[in-house]
């Protein structure tokens, strides 16, 4: 991909207008479709309270009714989050040619690497975002060629954040299992167990002269089982409630949790993946750091057998995760 196709470059030469391929249709333009003046207070769950039953009930309710919630007091030090964000920001502020060293190879089957386009967009529209993807867990799945060498502390900061993340991931999977009336280890096992992949994505949304017309990331649900995200302090995450789009309230150092498609499938629809999108800002760059908890590509995912019976037949097909992703990214019906 030529450097001039990076959104960061387009942003640097866009003064008052943006190229036509970034202008969304009227039914998507945030200026028209956002409910202004209202931020959505999706559930906030405090992990520090000494009442596991209360936390369990809050997680189950939020995963069923919202598909999105924020966790506070989660034991990941603010410093670890700050370092992760700092090294990601420095990478995206490097000269373009330094970033292109990590570009996703054109014939790659994987999403890993620095890039711009991710999925087949209807009508050839583009999102106002560049990204960097790389796996951060398990060690056997990591490909360091896609981890920036600059800043030099990039690897250490990413590894430290991931080490803290394990506890949160395990707690969420356990609570979500118990909430379905099955044993605590079942959902993680069904999602890949020790081979569960953590895929980090850094989204970089440059300042945009027409934030009323463009979107960073178009409306979508995540393909993962779970997504754990930290944003910077620039508002941008929106969720769809009852057919309307609302800004999701920013809480410093909170973890934003999305229920992904694989969790909806494994739970046979008891938990719902969340429809969300990202808006952009006129003055400031927005960044976010989602980590997608995904099954390995060859892993078969379907409704858990314990949740399926004559009264509750399977609502989803079982298929390999890689096949699911291919269909979704290429807009092929599942």
């Amino acid at each position: 991909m030529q450097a001039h196709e990076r959104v960061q470059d387009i942003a640097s030469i866009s003064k008052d207008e943006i190229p036509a391929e970034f202008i969304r249709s009227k039914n998507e333009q945030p200026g028209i479709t956002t409910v202004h003046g209202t931020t959505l207070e999706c559930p906030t769950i405090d992990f520090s309270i000494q009442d596991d039953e209360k936390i369990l009930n809050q997680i189950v309710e939020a995963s069923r009714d919202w598909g999105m919630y924020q966790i506070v007091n989660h034991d990941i030090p603010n410093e670890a989050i700050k370092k992760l964000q700092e090294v990601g920001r420095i990478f995206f502020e490097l000269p373009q040619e330094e970033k292109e060293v990590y570009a996703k190879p054109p014939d790659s089957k994987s999403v890993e690497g620095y890039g711009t386009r991710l999925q087949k967009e209807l009508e050839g529209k583009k999102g106002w975002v560049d990204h960097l993807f790389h796996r951060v867990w398990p060690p056997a799945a990591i490909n360091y060629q896609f981890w920036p060498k600059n800043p030099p502390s990039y690897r250490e900061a990413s590894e430290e954040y991931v080490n803290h993340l394990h506890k949160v991931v395990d707690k969420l999977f356990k609570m979500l299992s118990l909430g379905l009336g099955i044993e605590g280890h079942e959902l993680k096992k069904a999602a890949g167990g020790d081979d569960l992949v953590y895929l980090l994505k850094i989204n970089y949304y440059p300042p945009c002269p027409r934030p009323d017309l463009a979107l960073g990331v178009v409306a979508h649900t995540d393909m993962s089982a779970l997504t754990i995200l930290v944003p910077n302090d620039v508002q941008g995450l929106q969720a769809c409630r009852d057919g309307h789009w609302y800004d999701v309230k920013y809480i410093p150092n909170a973890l934003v949790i999305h229920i992904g498609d694989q969790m909806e499938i494994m739970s046979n629809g008891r938990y719902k993946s969340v429809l969300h999108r990202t808006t952009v800002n006129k003055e400031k760059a927005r960044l976010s750091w989602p980590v997608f908890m995904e099954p390995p590509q060859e892993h078969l995912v379907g409704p858990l057998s314990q949740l399926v019976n004559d009264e509750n037949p399977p609502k989803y097909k079982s298929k390999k995760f890689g096949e699911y992703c291919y269909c979704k990214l290429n807009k092929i019906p599942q």
Side-chain angles (χ1 to χ4, degrees):
M1 177 177 276
Q2 297 306 304
H4 68 260
E5 291 182 60
R6 301 298 183 201
V7 177
Q8 209 169 347
D9 284 335
I10 294 165
S12 67
I13 56 170
S14 300
K15 295 290 171 270
D16 302 311
E17 293 304 323
I18 56 174
E21 64 266 28
F22 292 98
I23 298 174
R24 310 309 305 196
S25 60
K26 290 269 196 295
N27 63 349
E28 285 187 302
Q29 287 177 15
I32 299 171
T33 56
T34 301
V35 178
H36 296 283
T38 311
T39 51
L40 200 59
E41 301 218 14
C42 66
T44 303
I45 300 173
D46 184 345
F47 262 19
S48 68
I49 63 168
Q50 301 300 306
D51 183 346
D52 273 0
E53 195 170 340
K54 185 177 180 186
I55 293 175
L56 172 66
N57 290 336
Q58 288 178 329
I59 286 174
V60 169
E61 203 172 296
S63 302
R64 187 187 64 211
D65 301 341
W66 288 78
M68 175 188 280
Y69 37 101
Q70 302 201 54
I71 295 177
V72 294
N73 300 323
H74 41 65
D75 279 353
I76 299 180
N78 293 350
E79 193 57 29
I81 294 175
K82 199 170 124 197
K83 280 184 193 160
L84 175 82
Q85 294 182 319
E86 180 75 359
V87 294
R89 182 184 58 75
I90 292 170
F91 171 75
F92 275 95
E93 289 172 358
L94 291 174
Q96 199 55 41
E97 61 275 13
E98 281 197 57
K99 295 192 290 264
E100 293 297 342
V101 170
Y102 303 96
K104 176 185 161 178
D107 52 352
S108 173
K109 293 266 188 292
S110 158
V111 296
E112 288 191 287
Y114 170 66
T116 296
R117 184 176 172 273
L118 180 59
Q119 60 176 344
K120 184 176 171 183
E121 273 256 28
L122 302 171
E123 300 160 10
K125 293 291 182 191
K126 292 180 179 171
W128 192 265
V129 63
D130 294 322
H131 61 246
L132 174 69
F133 272 107
H134 58 78
R135 292 172 174 182
V136 292
W137 192 261
I142 291 175
N143 186 346
Y144 287 111
Q145 84 179 72
F146 297 116
W147 291 47
K149 309 257 184 309
N150 193 5
S153 55
Y154 184 93
R155 179 168 167 177
E156 188 190 344
S158 301
E159 287 177 343
E160 188 191 347
Y161 178 69
V162 171
N163 284 337
H164 288 294
L165 206 52
H166 291 311
K167 222 162 104 178
V168 178
V169 173
D170 288 343
K171 185 166 180 169
L172 282 169
F173 270 105
K174 181 183 175 184
M175 295 280 184
L176 287 162
S177 291
L178 295 173
L180 294 170
I182 58 180
E183 289 187 32
H185 66 280
E186 293 286 358
L187 272 175
K188 190 176 176 193
K189 187 173 94 179
D194 290 341
D195 296 323
L196 183 76
V197 172
Y198 295 20
L199 176 67
L200 171 68
K201 181 186 188 193
I202 307 177
N203 289 303
Y204 183 89
Y205 309 94
C208 177
R210 294 301 305 268
D212 55 323
L213 300 179
L215 283 172
V217 177
V218 66
H220 66 288
T221 58
D222 291 347
M223 296 183 287
S224 58
L226 279 177
T227 304
I228 300 180
L229 176 148
V230 288
N232 72 347
D233 59 357
V234 178
Q235 183 67 49
L237 181 62
Q238 293 193 331
C240 189
R241 289 290 278 173
D242 310 317
H244 299 286
W245 287 99
Y246 296 88
D247 291 325
V248 175
K249 183 182 175 184
Y250 167 69
I251 302 173
N253 293 307
L255 301 176
V256 181
I257 310 299
H258 299 163
I259 296 292
D261 296 343
Q262 307 312 302
M263 184 65 73
E264 179 169 325
I265 291 165
M266 292 186 298
S267 72
N268 204 30
R270 302 253 295 267
Y271 298 137
K272 293 279 183 264
S273 63
V274 63
L275 187 64
H276 58 287
R277 69 180 188 184
T278 313
T279 59
V280 290
N281 188 286
K282 194 165 186 171
E283 276 85 37
K284 297 178 187 162
R286 180 176 190 269
L287 287 94
S288 68
W289 288 259
V291 179
F292 303 102
M293 312 297 158
E294 301 184 335
Q297 294 286 303
E298 293 295 309
H299 191 75
L300 193 67
V301 181
L304 293 185
S305 58
Q306 304 95 307
L307 305 177
V308 173
N309 54 36
D310 291 346
E311 285 84 66
N312 298 292
K315 295 176 180 160
Y316 307 87
K317 289 180 195 160
S318 295
K319 58 168 65 176
K320 286 182 179 175
F321 177 64
E323 192 188 326
Y324 181 91
C325 294
Y326 179 82
C327 291
K328 183 150 178 175
L329 291 174
N330 290 288
K331 304 279 188 285
I332 298 165
Q334 294 286 354

